[in-house]
Amino acid sequence: MSRATALASIALAITLLALAPVAARAQVPMVGVFVAEASCFATPAIRLEDNPGRIVTEPGRSYDLVGRNASPGSHYLILVPGAEPERRWVAFGCGRIEDDSQSADVGSRPTPGGSQVREARDSYVLAASWQPAFCETRPSVRECRDGGAAGKGFSLHGLWPQPRGREYCGVPEAVRRIDERGDWRDLPDHGASPATRRALAEVMPGVQSGLDRHEWWVHGTCFRGDAEAYFAQSIRLLSELNRSSVRRLFDASIGEVVTADAVRASFEAAFGRGAGRRVAVECAADAQGEPMIRELRIALAGDLAANTSLAELVRAGEPGGRGCPRGRVDAPGFD
């Protein structure tokens, strides 16, 4: 083989190696879970329209996270089992990230051994439901017999210590089995005071189905405090949300379509610059297949025991995807 031919072969090999892995290589490695909130094409490469198998993300489904294309970036690299190739790129707006505590680029510092360790801080997700939309999807549950009219503003779904996976902390296996069967009313009581129970029943219609017990055993047991403190803080944070202009946006938009960008803008106005990047919109389809806004997932970080304001907690939270791009603000009753 001549020297020129050899050099040409080497150049071709380098070119192929440079091109082939692009679709499967993340510039910023991440460890965690991508939860799809919209149906989006998942492609082997960001800038190519080719989509072998016409792979589309399924709303509500979780995918293993590999990384993202840059920091802050625009796309996540996920694993889609059964796809060929299984490594696929999806846009940030297609879903949210859970448990990115081991991401190489976020909140980390080098240790003497060269590994990355995340700076310790308390972080949470406040899940606030729009009860009429929830009841459209679950009309048979106890709290939905009125079509969601019991929800006055946003309803409390839960307060979830992060990262994802911090669940059932120290919970006996027998209790966990009851919870996982969905027999929430049969779960042991959480022991909150009568006054807190009354306040909880006002903001969490799901108490009728045992949602409070479910939330305590799954998430509250990982909270720094007892059930009284856990639910008192949850109620406080939801009340601050319902006193804000975010609630007023939803009240003024019943029956209309609201975009995720508008929701995020309302958070900016209510809680300060950067707050909008900490909220993801979760949608569900109505009877006609059109999206409704069912829940807001709000990233928080800080010391709840100090009664830190919702505004401060939101601004300190982890930025994430916006979730579904738009949805109708449902009215009470069934379509």
Side-chain angles (χ1 to χ4, degrees), residues 115-126:
S115 60
Q116 298 288 328
V117 176
R118 186 181 178 85
E119 297 285 358
R121 65 172 181 169
D122 290 334
S123 56
Y124 311 87
V125 166
L126 176 65

Side-chain angles (χ1 to χ4, degrees), residues 69-335:
N69 62 317
S71 184
S74 61
H75 286 70
Y76 292 119
L77 184 62
I78 63 173
L79 297 180
V80 182
E84 182 58 44
E86 68 173 358
R87 292 190 171 202
R88 299 295 180 112
W89 292 101
V90 292
F92 280 1
C94 293
R96 69 182 187 278
I97 297 303
E98 295 186 351
D99 188 11
D100 61 350
S101 60
Q102 299 182 55
S103 301
D105 69 319
V106 180
S108 59
R109 57 181 172 81
T111 65
S115 60
Q116 298 288 328
V117 176
R118 186 181 178 85
E119 297 285 358
R121 65 172 181 169
D122 290 334
S123 56
Y124 311 87
V125 166
L126 176 65
S129 297
W130 189 253
Q131 194 69 11
F134 168 77
C135 288
E136 287 287 351
T137 63
R138 300 291 298 278
S140 62
V141 299
R142 294 169 181 266
E143 63 269 27
C144 289
R145 291 169 181 170
D146 62 356
K152 299 177 178 63
F154 292 102
S155 299
L156 179 63
H157 180 172
L159 180 65
W160 305 334
Q162 297 296 295
R164 184 179 182 273
R166 286 185 64 196
E167 299 177 346
Y168 297 110
C169 295
V171 175
E173 184 61 31
V175 173
R176 182 167 180 164
R177 285 198 299 269
I178 294 171
D179 181 76
E180 290 176 341
R181 287 200 305 266
D183 298 330
W184 296 347
R185 287 162 58 87
D186 294 335
L187 287 166
D189 187 58
H190 44 66
S193 70
T196 296
R197 291 173 191 272
R198 289 192 293 271
L200 192 59
E202 287 293 317
V203 301
M204 181 187 270
V207 164
Q208 299 176 54
S209 296
L211 177 61
D212 56 329
R213 299 188 182 204
H214 165 73
E215 291 296 313
W216 166 250
W217 288 106
V218 179
H219 303 289
T221 51
C222 301
F223 179 79
R224 296 187 188 216
D226 58 13
E228 181 71 15
Y230 174 68
F231 287 120
Q233 291 293 344
S234 301
I235 293 166
R236 176 180 73 85
L237 295 173
L238 186 83
S239 297
E240 288 191 44
L241 177 64
N242 274 326
R243 291 196 300 270
S244 75
S245 55
V246 178
R247 156 81 181 275
R248 293 193 287 276
L249 168 67
F250 274 68
D251 284 346
S253 304
I254 290 176
E256 300 176 2
V257 172
V258 173
T259 66
D261 289 341
V263 173
R264 288 184 142 199
S266 73
F267 269 80
E268 297 276 331
F271 302 116
R273 184 175 180 180
R277 296 177 59 213
R278 276 77 182 173
V279 59
V281 178
E282 192 263 338
C283 293
D286 63 16
Q288 289 74 43
E290 297 298 322
M292 305 175 291
I293 297 179
R294 183 168 60 181
E295 188 162 281
L296 302 182
R297 304 244 174 116
I298 308 159
L300 312 175
D303 184 5
L304 295 187
N307 287 329
T308 307
S309 71
L310 179 59
E312 186 175 345
L313 293 168
V314 173
R315 292 196 302 270
E318 196 70 53
R322 65 179 180 176
C324 69
R326 62 184 55 81
R328 189 182 81 251
V329 179
D330 195 41
F334 299 111
D335 290 343

Side-chain angles (χ1 to χ4, degrees), residues 41-52:
F41 285 124
T43 57
I46 294 174
R47 295 182 178 85
L48 298 180
E49 296 181 357
D50 186 33
N51 183 7

